[in-house]
Amino acid sequence: MAVQGEGIVAREVRGAVAPEPLVIDEPGPGEVLVRVQASGVCHTDLHIRNGAIASLPMLLGHEGAGIVEAVGPGVVQPRVGDYVILAWRAPCGTCRFCRIGQLHLCAASLNGQPRQHTPAGEFPPPIMGLGTFATHTVVHANQAVPVSPDIPPAQACLIACGVMTGVGAALYTAGVRPGSSVAVFGAGAVGTSVIQGARLARASKIIAVDLAPQKLAWARTFGATHTVNPAEGDPVEQIRALTDGYGVNYAFECVGHPAVLEQVLACRDLAGVATLIGVAGHGSTLALDLSRFFDLGGSLRVSWYGDCLPTRDFPLLVEWYLRGELLLDELITRRIALAEVEDAFQAMERGETLRSVIGF
Ligand code: NAD
Ligand code: ZN
């Protein structure tokens, strides 16, 4: 039977969002219906609402955790009642990347059919095939990863996007090595998670770079050993001053701005690895001094979702949280209701929050 619920659809570029009634149809073959218990507000939702990266309308929310309430025909796992974190990557196992063992690059990631619709029968596409700014969603069974019920929903949902992306970018994309030096530009939820990944990898120097003094103070909680505020002078020079004039082994862009990527490339030591995580708007370009790029060596990598495999990594990150090694409580700066997402977007634009988490 269809479920009556509500959700948030971005309809106009920069237009204020508010909950509206939604009908959620039964799961089809291979799909599961999830009652969303918590959803984090990621900057990618805001980019979409602001019209920077995709066309509207779109049903927002892609950082969710909840309970499986119904399963469609043929679903063996998860089961009704399972507590799950929702993934926007569910490798198909058969595409050209999966076939050569690169499941983290899957080019045909599994999604459910759109089943959340307005009472009038409009199906706004759910962002990343999830649509978790809603009381319920229907996803492919492989997108719903069972985890220990010992982690509360508000913490669990953070693993679904921002935390997994940041930790994975440090551990998998860049492969931060023990004793190395790291600079992280943008100390929001993604950036502080890169900082945690670097801490878990036993980096020696972890430099957080952000314009907001409060973000720099929070970054220290997550493992930053030094902080740099670009408002106080060229961040590249400040990073050099902290690294005997050399620059860092690993630098991360967690903002989504070409000028920041230039700084990320420039603050590296010889053979340094730059990792782009931030999502820049359409039409953003980068001017690259090729001779300097060559002389410095190293590489520029792009990290999609921290190169994670959700079925391997979600339970692992939950385990680290339960052992006290991965901080998640400290990321929740606001607990909000669905009706407060617009306020959360505005607070994010003002740089006031790490994560606002919607509780249902
Ligand atoms: P956020 O808004 O919480 O954090 C961004 C931070 O950047 C803020 O703390 C802000 O103060 C800081 N900042 C802004 N301009 C800056 C500058 N010039 N120099 C230094 N810091 C600056 O956002 P978030 O949710 O952490 O997401 C960060 C980025 O990562 C976004 O672009 C988002 O779309 C992207 N993202 C990418 C992936 C992926 O798979 N690659 C996944 C999730 C999010
Ligand atoms: Zn996200």
Side-chain angles (χ1 to χ4, degrees):
M1 222 177 57
V3 179
Q4 307 294 320
E6 54 177 354
I8 291 194
V9 181
R11 297 189 171 279
E12 277 171 46
V13 171
R14 301 199 76 87
V17 294
E20 57 180 279
L22 287 182
V23 179
I24 301 91
D25 290 339
E26 287 177 17
E31 297 172 351
V32 298
L33 171 77
V34 176
R35 177 167 59 80
V36 180
Q37 292 180 300
S39 183
V41 178
C42 174
H43 209 119
T44 306
D45 296 300
L46 180 57
H47 284 325
I48 298 268
R49 195 290 296 271
N50 288 349
I53 52 176
S55 56
L56 302 179
M58 192 166 271
L59 178 59
L60 299 179
H62 61 280
E63 201 174 75
I67 301 283
V68 175
E69 293 225 314
V71 303
V75 173
V76 178
Q77 203 203 331
R79 296 182 185 168
V80 171
D82 277 358
Y83 178 49
V84 294
I85 298 180
L86 300 177
W88 50 268
R89 171 177 295 145
C92 71
T94 55
C95 76
R96 62 193 188 283
F97 294 104
C98 286
R99 279 202 310 271
I100 58 169
Q102 295 184 315
L103 280 77
H104 63 288
L105 297 178
C106 175
S109 191
L110 303 171
N111 285 147
Q113 294 294 315
R115 308 235 178 245
Q116 297 153 293
H117 60 90
T118 65
E122 177 204 7
F123 285 76
I127 175 175
M128 343 273 277
L130 289 170
T132 59
F133 288 179
T135 50
H136 304 77
T137 185
V138 172
V139 298
H140 191 283
N142 292 16
Q143 289 181 277
V145 180
V147 295
S148 161
D150 293 342
I151 180 172
Q155 282 80 348
C157 74
L158 303 176
I159 291 174
C161 182
V163 169
M164 185 70 256
T165 298
V167 172
L171 297 182
Y172 299 131
T173 312
V176 171
R177 297 173 69 90
S180 62
S181 54
V182 175
V184 181
F185 285 70
V190 173
T192 51
S193 299
V194 173
I195 289 169
Q196 294 215 70
R199 169 173 54 75
L200 291 164
R202 300 284 184 267
S204 288
K205 202 165 271 180
I206 305 175
I207 305 168
V209 185
D210 205 294
L211 292 163
Q214 177 66 72
K215 293 292 177 70
L216 295 176
W218 281 330
R220 288 192 182 266
T221 314
F222 293 95
T225 57
H226 300 75
T227 59
V228 160
N229 191 332
E232 291 166 8
D234 181 1
V236 175
E237 289 309 320
Q238 294 190 65
I239 289 169
R240 288 221 181 91
L242 291 170
T243 51
D244 302 324
Y246 292 124
V248 292
N249 304 122
Y250 303 94
F252 295 84
E253 206 283 4
C254 313
V255 180
H257 198 292
V260 177
L261 182 58
E262 280 179 28
Q263 293 164 355
V264 161
L265 288 166
C267 76
R268 293 171 301 146
D269 193 356
L270 290 172
V273 176
T275 301
L276 172 62
I277 306 172
V279 180
H282 286 310
S284 305
T285 56
L286 177 72
L288 191 62
D289 178 336
L290 265 186
S291 142
R292 179 163 164 68
F293 187 66
F294 179 86
D295 288 348
L296 204 60
S299 60
L300 169 59
R301 300 174 185 174
V302 173
S303 186
W304 298 326
Y305 213 173
D307 288 323
C308 75
L309 291 178
T311 48
R312 175 192 64 194
D313 295 315
F314 287 2
L316 192 60
L317 266 55
V318 169
E319 192 182 308
W320 293 348
Y321 167 75
L322 294 174
R323 279 200 222 139
E325 293 166 6
L326 181 72
L327 306 182
L328 296 176
D329 305 359
E330 295 77 357
L331 269 175
I332 306 168
T333 36
R334 286 191 189 184
R335 290 176 186 260
I336 60 168
L338 190 61
E340 293 169 294
V341 167
E342 182 57 35
D343 291 345
F345 279 161
Q346 289 175 18
M348 178 176 261
E349 283 191 321
R350 288 193 301 270
E352 292 171 5
T353 46
L354 281 173
R355 269 293 185 262
S356 297
V357 176
I358 307 163
F360 291 87

